[in-house]
Amino acid sequence: IAGPEKKNAVVSEQKRKLVAYHEAGHALVGALMPEYDPVAKISIIPRGQAGGLTFFAPSEERLESGL
């Protein structure tokens, strides 16, 4: 979805930890927002321009509604 993994990217332990906190923040805010799509996947592997990714997937009901 966000592109191929950056296999040659060297990420320090400190940056990996920072990205993990950042993505966890996205997941928490999404979980606390009423009627927001649920978290489907969280990754701290760099892909494309992103250092990490939190992916929210729409529910079946939302997909069928066309919204």
Side-chain angles (χ1 to χ4, degrees), residues 13-58:
E13 186 65 31
Q14 182 179 3
K15 184 164 182 175
R16 288 175 58 99
K17 191 174 184 179
L18 182 63
V19 170
Y21 280 119
H22 178 90
E23 296 306 325
H26 285 294
L28 286 171
V29 170
L32 294 173
M33 293 183 69
E35 298 188 30
Y36 203 75
D37 294 334
V39 175
K41 183 174 185 172
I42 301 174
S43 174
I44 61 168
I45 297 171
R47 296 179 182 279
Q49 295 295 318
L53 172 73
T54 301
F55 180 70
F56 297 89

